[in-house]
Amino acid sequence: MRGAVIHAPRDIRFETLDDPKILHPTDAIIRTAVTCVCGSDLWAYRGLEPVGDPHPMGHEYVGIVEEVGSEVTHVKPGQFVVGSFATSDNTCANCRNGYQSNCLHREFMSTCQADHVRIPNAQGTLVATDEVPGEEFWPGLLAVSDVMGTGWWAAEAAEVKPGSTAVVVGDGAVGLCAVIAAKEKGAERIIVMSRHASRQQLAREFGATDIVSERGEEGIARIKDLTGGIGADSVLECVGTEQSMQQALRSTRPGGNVGFVGVPHDVAVDGQELFFSHVGLRGGPAPVRRYLPDLIDRVLTGRIHPGMVFDLTLPLDQVAEGYKAMDERRAIKTLLKP
């Protein structure tokens, strides 16, 4: 098979790789329908995370099952399946508590920008659709495997409620999907912090009511102005930087909540400040598997359209250009077709 391999910062190559094989009876092999480049992939691409030895990339996928291990009975060859970037057996105590992304047998996917992928813990990770959906649904279902599920987790962690005011920090694919989630959960006002016109437009299509382009202290002050001087009920932090976390915490009202889903990089939270703010803070890797049946249904019934975050589509063999376009902010998110 062929797939993306990172060799060094800004050095993505499309190479011939060993075909995946069933290694454990809980594995499955899928033929990739579509995959993509994630904003979190850019940390290594930009040299902000160590690359180490050359290795495959990608953690978002939907596809057709080709082979299953002997203990996999929930899915079978020929079915179209959606999974998660974090695999789970869906039976351990953490899974039963709804935190499948902290499964005791968790593995993080990392080889999905390829035409075939081995899925560990396939029995608990994969959810099959009733039939192979039309290709027009594939981008939305692919979004569900990570960015839509992560945006939903941001809204849930921030405790977005009907009639509430929510702020979304970040206008990447996760932030835009968080707007969808906040809307679906009934937020009356959704304020998006964004400086990019195309992303602002898509945010409004998804349900944003206000746009704040200021950052730092100016951005915090603007949020306070829009919320009667006290801050928002819920703030969804979808970036993972020190600045974005500070904006989120200081834009939240006393008694409000921050859901942080951007993978933190050099983020430090002042315990004393958090203590006196009365702001709740919850986050971590999204338990996407918990939401898959519901989100898949919302996509297939046309209730939500998270696939709109893919504004660049390329053949899989042009994956390097997909990274470059996202790095240069010429694309929100790149869809890759094998």
Side-chain angles (χ1 to χ4, degrees):
M1 72 168 193
R2 305 198 74 191
V5 176
I6 187 168
H7 285 257
R10 291 185 167 79
D11 185 2
I12 300 287
R13 306 179 195 178
F14 190 65
E15 300 181 344
T16 299
L17 303 168
D18 292 337
D19 291 336
K21 301 182 184 305
I22 298 290
L23 301 180
H24 306 287
T26 50
D27 291 347
I29 305 297
I30 68 167
R31 173 170 49 84
T32 307
V34 284
T35 183
C36 57
V37 180
C38 183
S40 61
D41 294 331
L42 298 181
W43 292 105
Y45 183 77
R46 291 168 172 164
L48 299 174
E49 286 180 351
V51 172
D53 294 333
H55 58 269
M57 292 289 285
H59 54 266
E60 296 157 285
Y61 58 95
V62 294
I64 306 293
V65 177
E66 291 203 335
E67 185 180 359
V68 298
S70 60
E71 294 182 13
V72 179
T73 58
H74 285 182
V75 298
K76 60 186 180 182
Q79 287 186 306
F80 186 98
V81 291
V82 184
S84 166
F85 62 85
T87 73
S88 58
D89 59 25
N90 212 28
T91 61
C92 78
N94 290 341
C95 289
R96 293 196 306 272
N97 285 328
Y99 285 85
Q100 291 92 335
S101 52
N102 225 313
C103 176
L104 295 176
H105 301 101
R106 173 186 67 190
E107 293 186 40
F108 286 112
M109 297 300 298
S110 60
T111 64
C112 298
Q113 290 163 6
D115 50 35
H116 287 78
V117 184
R118 180 180 73 90
I119 312 295
N121 296 312
Q123 176 83 347
T125 301
L126 298 176
V127 175
T129 56
D130 291 337
E131 55 189 25
V132 177
E135 290 191 26
E136 68 272 19
F137 292 107
W138 292 5
L141 295 172
L142 179 61
V144 164
S145 78
D146 183 357
V147 291
M148 186 62 241
T150 298
W152 199 269
W153 166 232
E156 186 165 291
E159 298 187 15
V160 176
K161 294 180 172 62
S164 64
T165 294
V167 169
V168 176
V169 180
D171 62 1
V174 171
L176 292 167
C177 287
V179 175
I180 296 175
K183 180 72 172 178
E184 288 291 291
K185 287 181 174 290
E188 182 176 322
R189 195 172 192 185
I190 303 172
I191 305 167
V192 175
M193 305 192 83
S194 169
R195 287 182 163 181
H196 305 93
S198 61
R199 301 179 185 211
Q200 293 171 359
Q201 179 179 345
L202 188 52
R204 288 195 180 277
E205 289 184 48
F206 284 163
T209 56
D210 302 87
I211 302 293
V212 170
S213 59
E214 295 88 349
R215 291 184 180 178
E217 293 301 324
E218 291 183 357
I220 295 165
R222 182 69 180 133
I223 296 296
K224 294 287 183 72
D225 287 343
L226 291 171
T227 55
I230 63 167
D233 303 308
S234 301
V235 179
L236 291 61
E237 192 284 311
C238 303
V239 182
T241 65
E242 175 76 11
Q243 183 186 59
S244 63
M245 180 62 86
Q246 292 304 319
Q247 283 193 157
L249 288 170
R250 294 171 183 173
S251 297
T252 310
R253 67 166 174 81
N257 295 278
V258 171
F260 70 105
V261 300
V263 180
H265 287 74
D266 298 320
V267 173
V269 176
D270 185 315
Q272 187 116 3
E273 181 180 346
L274 183 64
F275 179 80
F276 284 102
S277 71
H278 280 120
V279 169
L281 181 62
R282 175 180 291 162
V288 170
R289 178 61 181 84
R290 189 202 309 177
Y291 310 129
L292 282 183
D294 177 44
L295 293 180
I296 289 170
D297 181 69
R298 290 174 193 253
V299 169
L300 292 179
T301 58
R303 178 163 176 167
I304 61 174
H305 301 279
M308 292 172 65
V309 299
F310 295 105
D311 55 347
L312 177 64
T313 298
L314 294 172
L316 183 57
D317 61 8
Q318 293 182 30
V319 58
E321 170 57 23
Y323 274 81
K324 191 169 186 287
M326 287 177 61
D327 179 46
E328 296 172 353
R329 292 191 177 274
R330 291 184 283 112
I332 300 171
K333 194 165 177 67
T334 304
L335 183 80
L336 301 168
K337 289 187 172 183

